[in-house]
Amino acid sequence: MPIASPEVYAEMLDRAKAGRFAYPAINVTSSQTLNAAIRGFAEAESDGIVQVSTGGAEYLSGGLKDMVTGSVALAEYAHVIAAKYDVNIALHTDHCPKDKLDGFMRPLVAISQERVAKGLEPLFQSHMWDGSAVPLDENLRIAQELIVECAKARTVMELEIGVVGGEEDGVANEINEKLYTTAEDVLKTVEAIGLGEKGRYLLAATFGNVHGVYKPGNVKLRPSILKDIQDAVGAKFNQDKPFDLVFHGGSGSLLEEIREALDYGVVKMNVDTDTQYAFTRPVADHMLRNYEGVLKVDGEVGNKKQYDPRAYGKAAEGGMAARVVVACQDLRSAGTKLK
C-alpha cells in the first residue's frame, strides 16, 4: 500500500483509540532499519508508524549532516518500499526542540505544503514539536503557530507537555515531578490550540516516562494520570477521551502499565531503545562467531561471505523485525491492519 494518506492516517488513529490499541512508532536511521520496521509491521499484520529523530535525520544524510536532506531521502525511499507491502505506514518526525525548528520541522512542513499545493500528498503524516524544555506558555505559543502550518500541509502535529526524563539525541531532562502532566497543563493546552478545530494533534502527556534504558521499578509510571487529564477535559467539553495520546520513553515498562495507558487513549507509543538492541545483537553475534572470517587475521584473507555486509545485515533486519512484531502484540495492534 502507498504511504498512508491524511485520511487513512486519521482513520488509523481513530480506530486505535476506539479499539484501545496503539501503533508502535519505530525510530529508524537507515534504509536497513526502515526495511526491518516495515517488515515487522507486515508480519504482525499491523499498520504502523516509522519515525526519524533530528540525530537520525542528520545521520541519514551522510557526510552532509543535513537533517532536512536526510529526512526527505528517507521519506522518498519509504514511499517506494511501503507501496509493496499490504499494511499502511505513516511517516513521522520525532522530538524537535526549539533550537532545531528552523532546521528540521519548519522546512519539512513547508515541503509538504508545497506538495499539497500541487495536488500531491504530504511527504510526512505528522511532526513532533518538543517544547518540554521551555516554559509551558512559550511551548503553547509556538504550538499555536505550528498547528496552523501543519494543518495547511494536511499533517498532524504532535505536542509534548510535561517532561520526559532521561536523554535522547542530546536532549536530557532530570527525573523529578516535572515528569507528571497536570490537568491544569492540559486545560491550558486546549485553550491555546483547541481540540482539533484548528488542526489535529497528538498529545504527548507525561506520566513518569523516561527515555533510554532502565529496569522496571526504577521509575514510577502513573498511567492513571492519563485518565485524569482525559476526564478533566472531557467533562468540561462533553467529550469521551478527547485526546489522542502518545507514550514516550516506554523501554522497560511493565506490560500491565502499557496496557493501562492504552485503555486511557494512547494511540502511539515510541519504540527505539529496544529495536536498536534487536538490530545490533545479531551483528555482534555474527562478528564474534566469525571473528577470523570478518577480519584478515595474521595476514590471512578472511572470508568474503562472512564480511559481506549482507551476511550480518540480513540477520540484523530479522532481529529488529521480530522485535517490532512483539511491540505490535504488546500494544494490541497485531492483526488490526486496515483492509
Side-chain angles (χ1 to χ4, degrees):
M1 295 180 182
I3 291 292
S5 67
E7 294 78 12
V8 168
Y9 191 37
E11 185 178 356
M12 286 169 57
L13 299 176
D14 290 343
R15 291 178 74 248
K17 189 192 287 187
R20 297 193 174 193
F21 65 87
Y23 298 105
I26 307 299
N27 281 76
V28 299
T29 54
S30 65
S31 59
Q32 278 193 301
T33 50
L34 173 73
N35 285 333
I38 298 177
R39 172 181 162 185
F41 286 126
E43 290 177 357
E45 297 187 341
S46 170
D47 301 315
I49 300 170
V50 171
Q51 61 187 21
V52 59
S53 65
T54 55
E58 182 179 277
Y59 178 78
L60 277 158
S61 73
L64 298 174
K65 295 186 177 181
D66 183 281
M67 294 181 289
V68 174
T69 298
S71 300
V72 171
L74 173 81
E76 294 287 3
Y77 183 86
H79 276 259
V80 174
I81 295 297
K84 301 297 183 179
Y85 284 87
D86 64 350
V87 291
N88 293 285
I89 301 297
L91 300 178
H92 176 79
T93 59
D94 202 8
H95 295 269
C96 182
K98 181 182 177 181
D99 64 337
K100 290 184 169 63
L101 280 172
D102 289 339
F104 187 52
M105 182 174 171
R106 284 189 175 118
L108 289 173
V109 171
I111 288 171
S112 284
Q113 288 177 348
E114 292 170 5
R115 288 170 61 96
V116 168
K118 296 175 182 177
L120 303 174
E121 302 286 4
L123 192 61
F124 283 82
Q125 286 60 61
S126 50
H127 297 281
M128 181 187 179
W129 150 235
D130 182 357
S132 61
V134 301
L136 181 61
D137 288 346
E138 182 181 1
N139 182 351
L140 296 176
R141 282 197 302 272
I142 294 172
Q144 285 176 315
E145 173 253 315
L146 292 174
I147 197 168
V148 171
E149 297 305 314
C150 285
K152 292 177 184 175
R154 301 180 68 210
T155 61
V156 175
M157 182 184 75
E158 181 179 331
L159 167 73
E160 182 169 5
I161 58 173
V163 172
V164 175
E167 187 273 334
E168 182 176 52
D169 266 357
V171 179
N173 291 304
E174 295 181 3
I175 298 174
N176 53 37
E177 280 304 307
K178 291 183 179 179
L179 302 186
Y180 304 99
T181 299
T182 66
E184 181 183 5
D185 295 336
V186 294
L187 288 169
K188 283 185 176 181
T189 300
V190 174
E191 182 180 347
I193 61 174
L195 280 173
E197 66 276 9
K198 298 179 182 180
R200 186 163 190 168
Y201 64 93
L202 305 172
L203 183 66
T206 55
F207 52 101
N209 323 53
V210 174
H211 285 135
V213 183
Y214 66 94
K215 293 181 179 180
N218 287 4
V219 175
K220 180 60 177 176
L221 288 176
R222 301 208 302 258
S224 60
I225 285 177
L226 301 181
K227 182 179 186 302
D228 293 341
I229 65 177
Q230 293 277 37
D231 289 348
V233 175
K236 183 171 182 177
F237 293 93
N238 195 29
Q239 292 188 30
D240 179 41
K241 290 192 291 190
F243 294 113
D244 298 326
L245 298 174
V246 180
F247 187 160
H248 284 252
S251 297
S253 300
L254 298 171
L255 183 58
E256 54 264 36
E257 294 172 332
I258 293 172
R259 294 276 176 83
E260 183 181 356
L262 303 185
D263 291 339
Y264 301 146
V266 166
V267 297
K268 170 181 178 280
M269 177 174 169
N270 290 9
V271 182
D272 187 15
T273 301
D274 293 345
T275 47
Q276 285 179 340
Y277 182 78
F279 184 88
T280 301
R281 179 65 179 80
V283 178
D285 182 71
H286 178 89
M287 298 302 175
L288 293 172
R289 289 178 181 273
N290 300 287
Y291 181 79
E292 293 184 351
V294 298
L295 296 178
K296 297 181 179 182
V297 179
D298 296 331
E300 293 297 325
V301 297
N303 185 328
K304 183 179 184 300
K305 290 185 178 180
Q306 292 175 355
Y307 61 72
D308 183 335
R310 291 170 293 184
Y312 50 88
K314 290 176 182 177
E317 288 184 25
M320 181 172 167
R323 184 60 184 84
V324 171
V325 171
V326 171
C328 292
Q329 293 168 343
D330 288 347
L331 300 185
R332 303 193 289 229
S333 72
T336 67
K337 68 177 182 177
L338 287 165
K339 305 300 182 183

